[in-house]
Amino acid sequence: MAASDGVGARGAAPALPPDETVRDASPTRGTVPAGAPLPLAGQRDRRRPSSLRRFVRESPLGVISALFLLAAIVTALLGPLLGTGDPEALSAAAMFSPPSSDYLMGGDYLGRSVLARLVSGLRISLALAAVSALLAASVGTFLGLVSGYFGGILDELVMRVTDVLFAFPTILLGLLMAVVLEPGVRGVVLTIVIATIPVFSRVARGPTLAVRATEYTIAARVVGASPARILFRYVLPNVSTPLLVQLAFTLSGALLAEGALSFLGLGVQPPTPSLGSLLRDGKTYMEIAPWTMLFPGLTLALAILAVNLLGDELQSFTDPRLRSR
Amino acid sequence: MPRYVLTRLVTAIITTLSVATIVFGAMRLVPGGFAGAFLGPAAGRSPQVVAAIEAKYGLDKPIVVQYGLWLRNAVQGDLGQSLRTRSSVTSEIVRRSILTIELTLLATLMSLVIGIPAGVIAALRRNSVADMLTRAVSLIGLSIPDFVLGTILIYVVSTRHLGLPVSGFIPAGEDLVGHLRSLVLPTLTLGLITTSVVMRVIRSSVVDVLGEAYVVTARAKGLHPRVVALRHVVRAGLIPTVTIVGINMGYLLGGAVIVEELFSLPGLGRYALTGILNRDYPVAQGTVIVGALMFVFANLAADIAYAYLDPRIKY
């Protein structure tokens, strides 16, 4: 479990167990049932929608969370076009006004629309989480693949460095970044990336070690395929499933970390809205205007719930050992 | 076994040293320089003053020498002085960590008392209502961030006048009941996520054990299902708890920052946060290192306990 805890387990929130690195080395996509036509490049695309359809059939909860997330992303992206209003527009009349037909989620302490700020904050939080999760995933996966494939001193070095990085709970790392870089967005992204790189490099490394020893990899090497080709064509597809699951958990960890750091005043700085900074603002005035705190808080919790649920469902969908449970 | 403990101990010490080095190095990257931070605002920053201060704190020496001196002091337990209050960082950390440790232990206790029975029952009665409920609660518990939960708790408790203190802290020596009452909400806030983790881990671990050959044997030889469950399944299924408690420590230390800030508790986390927001570098440096140290050693203890409990682990 320690090998694949998200950003989370080390600080912001423990990742969802059980999500160990794949233990068996059997390639998940490489094997073809006897008698089946060889999977040529063109036929891979025909197999993808079928597994998507299977996921839709087997995991209604997963589909609901995916749809919810999609809706959140679309709302965040389209934001201003949806007529939610200007997040910076002030109105004395709307100050602390409870939810009404004009201000669906009420007004905040400056008379700004909570809905408009929520939509804009959601965009910033989602963007920050996505960018940092993807950055961490690419760097971490690369390190894991390379260190697992080449082994030796490089592997030893990468593993020792990740050991040290694992010793920083995420929030502590965030505190450190806030000192060195001044509180702000850069610190948040860097915190999430540094905290998550070791997770991805471990998730990628284990299967790489196993795939390196398989006959088809050895055959590829004998034929003269370059390490880069072997890593990307043979190893990566085998690792992609656990990585995808990990990416989901990392996204929820990243949302959580951004929220926590901004809530503490170390992340996104006012007046820029993010789910965390909105909650921080709302907390101050919650006794007179609870809606300024409730809506951002619930949005964040629901978004994290949806990502976790999706990750969970993906995990049990892709891991046959978990299916029967 | 002693050999395994020794290797793990050495690794933990090396990790701690690396952490300390990284933190020391990071503090030297601070914009404006470490000397600037010591001197504070630009007022009175004449070259002579700067030189005098640098000489006093040894900042004029090469960085390697500074590092050596700092490390020597740190190993001897001297983490320097707060720039604001001039008080010793070490004694502040010691004084404040009592509360943080208490909070961490209470949250751990909550997670074990609720999480273990729930996880075991869910696993033994898979797909029952109790199982569904446990899984739903743990998934939701994992998804509500502590700062959201804490804020909502404060709101509900204070607007509904439920009579629990939502802020501040009474020392145990003054009023033990009041002291515990002041920790109820912080413990709930901090403990929900770890409780959910324990539920999930115990459930899946017990489910794993149920499939083991020796459990099938125990059943086949006609032992009462309850005996099998208690003696063969649950005992083995609880082993991962140790690891989880160790890993949760990392979360709890980070969570302590949030919970202490939220409920205005004078613990280590709040000390770290105020130190950072005030740009009080020795405080920031000391608290981050001590936090990482606690995490590393909690995990070390968990690893050793795990090796001791699970005879299958080779040393």
Side-chain angles (χ1 to χ4, degrees):
Chain A
M1 142 119 216
S4 56
D5 300 324
V7 172
R10 306 172 33 244
L16 310 182
D19 58 333
E20 283 191 20
T21 339
V22 267
R23 271 162 284 187
D24 67 312
S26 60
T28 43
R29 281 209 201 148
T31 45
V32 181
L38 283 173
L40 300 171
Q43 279 170 322
R44 285 183 61 168
D45 296 334
R46 216 187 293 160
R47 284 198 305 177
R48 278 226 179 101
S50 86
S51 79
L52 180 67
R53 211 173 299 144
R54 213 152 47 83
F55 184 69
V56 170
R57 203 177 328 119
E58 284 181 23
S59 167
L61 271 178
V63 173
I64 294 173
S65 352
L67 288 179
F68 176 83
L69 282 175
L70 200 66
I73 293 168
V74 170
T75 313
L77 286 179
L78 295 182
L81 299 177
L82 295 175
T84 51
D86 178 358
E88 306 302 334
L90 308 176
S91 146
M95 202 190 270
F96 295 130
S97 68
S100 64
S101 55
D102 282 344
Y103 292 89
L104 286 177
M105 293 187 179
D108 74 354
Y109 67 105
L110 290 174
R112 294 172 295 193
S113 155
V114 173
L115 177 61
R117 293 187 66 71
L118 186 63
V119 169
S120 153
L122 187 64
R123 178 168 56 235
I124 289 166
S125 288
L126 284 176
L128 275 179
V131 166
S132 16
L134 288 174
L135 206 61
S138 10
V139 178
T141 307
F142 178 76
L143 284 178
L145 287 178
V146 169
S147 80
Y149 187 77
F150 293 104
I153 294 179
L154 182 76
D155 185 31
E156 194 60 29
L157 194 72
V158 170
M159 286 299 112
R160 289 295 80 78
V161 171
T162 54
D163 272 348
V164 174
L165 291 181
F166 263 126
F168 282 102
T170 308
I171 296 286
L172 281 192
L173 202 59
L175 296 183
L176 188 63
M177 290 298 164
V179 182
V180 178
L181 297 174
E182 309 262 319
V185 170
R186 266 188 315 160
V188 174
V189 174
L190 218 58
T191 300
I192 300 170
V193 170
I194 294 180
T196 326
I197 283 179
V199 182
F200 278 100
S201 63
R202 295 209 174 178
V203 172
R205 181 178 170 269
T208 306
L209 286 175
V211 175
R212 185 177 65 159
T214 56
E215 282 170 4
Y216 60 87
T217 313
I218 298 171
R221 210 180 304 147
V222 171
V223 176
S226 68
R229 187 181 162 83
I230 293 177
L231 281 177
F232 286 98
R233 298 285 302 192
Y234 300 89
V235 182
L236 197 57
N238 279 298
V239 193
S240 60
T241 308
L243 284 177
L244 192 66
V245 172
Q246 192 54 54
L247 191 64
F249 291 132
T250 300
L251 261 180
S252 83
L255 279 172
L256 191 64
E258 183 280 316
L261 291 174
S262 302
F263 182 76
L264 289 174
L266 303 174
V268 174
Q269 298 294 309
T272 309
S274 83
L275 294 179
S277 71
L278 285 174
L279 192 67
R280 177 185 170 81
D281 271 355
K283 193 194 116 210
T284 318
Y285 303 100
M286 69 181 172
E287 302 213 351
I288 36 176
W291 49 89
T292 56
M293 164 277 278
L294 282 173
F295 289 116
L298 290 178
T299 309
L300 182 58
L302 278 177
I304 293 175
L305 179 66
V307 182
N308 280 345
L309 208 53
L310 184 62
D312 244 18
E313 293 290 310
L314 273 179
Q315 191 170 40
S316 47
F317 178 73
T318 51
D319 186 344
R321 287 174 308 120
L322 292 174
R323 269 211 199 172
S324 53
R325 295 179 197 174
Chain B
M1 185 81 190
R3 209 188 137 75
Y4 173 77
V5 173
L6 197 69
T7 343
R8 285 294 289 112
L9 190 68
V10 171
T11 331
I13 291 173
I14 295 175
T15 310
T16 313
L17 277 179
S18 326
V19 166
T21 311
I22 291 175
V23 175
F24 177 88
M27 290 295 161
R28 265 64 194 171
L29 297 173
V30 162
F34 207 54
F38 266 96
L39 285 168
R45 214 188 266 183
S46 69
Q48 291 92 333
V49 177
V50 173
I53 298 276
E54 286 191 335
K56 188 182 169 205
Y57 288 100
L59 293 169
D60 51 348
K61 298 193 176 66
I63 190 126
V64 182
V65 178
Q66 284 184 45
Y67 173 68
L69 287 173
W70 173 78
L71 195 63
R72 198 188 62 192
N73 287 337
V75 169
Q76 291 171 350
D78 177 8
L79 291 167
Q81 290 185 338
S82 155
L83 297 180
R84 288 240 160 172
T85 62
R86 301 277 156 212
S87 55
S88 149
V89 172
T90 313
S91 56
E92 283 289 306
I93 287 180
V94 170
R95 198 167 65 80
R96 288 161 184 265
S97 46
I98 297 171
L99 174 62
T100 305
I101 291 173
E102 187 185 356
L103 205 54
T104 308
L105 290 180
L106 283 173
T108 306
L109 191 70
M110 168 181 164
S111 69
L112 298 181
V113 168
I114 301 175
I116 290 183
V120 168
I121 292 171
L124 292 180
R125 308 215 171 129
R126 238 184 304 159
N127 298 326
S128 68
V129 178
D131 183 23
M132 300 291 178
L133 205 67
T134 305
R135 288 164 71 183
V137 166
S138 73
L139 192 67
I140 293 171
L142 273 173
S143 304
I144 300 181
D146 39 17
F147 49 95
V148 174
L149 177 69
T151 315
I152 292 176
L153 279 179
I154 291 179
Y155 174 69
V156 171
V157 168
S158 59
T159 51
R160 300 268 178 270
H161 306 291
L162 296 182
L164 278 172
V166 292
S167 155
F169 154 83
I170 303 162
E174 269 174 39
D175 171 8
L176 188 63
V177 177
H179 170 73
L180 290 177
R181 280 166 58 88
S182 66
L183 292 183
V184 170
L185 292 182
T187 304
L188 278 179
T189 307
L190 198 56
L192 181 70
I193 292 186
T194 47
T195 306
S196 312
V197 174
V198 171
M199 278 183 193
R200 285 175 69 109
V201 174
I202 293 300
R203 180 183 175 278
S204 83
S205 148
V206 172
V207 165
D208 272 347
V209 174
L210 279 171
E212 295 269 358
Y214 70 85
V215 175
V216 179
T217 311
R219 259 196 215 130
K221 73 182 183 187
L223 285 183
H224 191 278
R226 197 181 301 137
V227 177
V228 178
L230 288 181
R231 239 196 246 153
H232 296 258
V233 176
V234 171
R235 268 177 64 180
L238 290 187
I239 293 178
T241 319
V242 185
T243 315
I244 285 309
V245 168
I247 291 174
N248 278 350
M249 284 301 288
Y251 158 71
L252 288 171
L253 286 169
V257 178
I258 288 167
V259 167
E260 287 169 12
E261 167 70 10
L262 203 51
F263 294 96
S264 312
L265 301 173
L268 191 59
R270 198 146 177 255
Y271 187 50
L273 187 66
T274 19
I276 283 159
L277 292 174
N278 289 334
R279 319 240 109 215
D280 194 338
Y281 297 97
V283 174
Q285 183 170 276
T287 45
V288 171
I289 289 176
V290 170
L293 187 85
M294 285 171 144
F295 181 50
V296 168
F297 280 86
N299 275 312
L300 173 69
D303 277 358
I304 292 174
Y306 194 92
Y308 179 74
L309 288 174
D310 190 339
R312 283 170 302 186
I313 291 188
K314 303 271 189 301
Y315 316 118

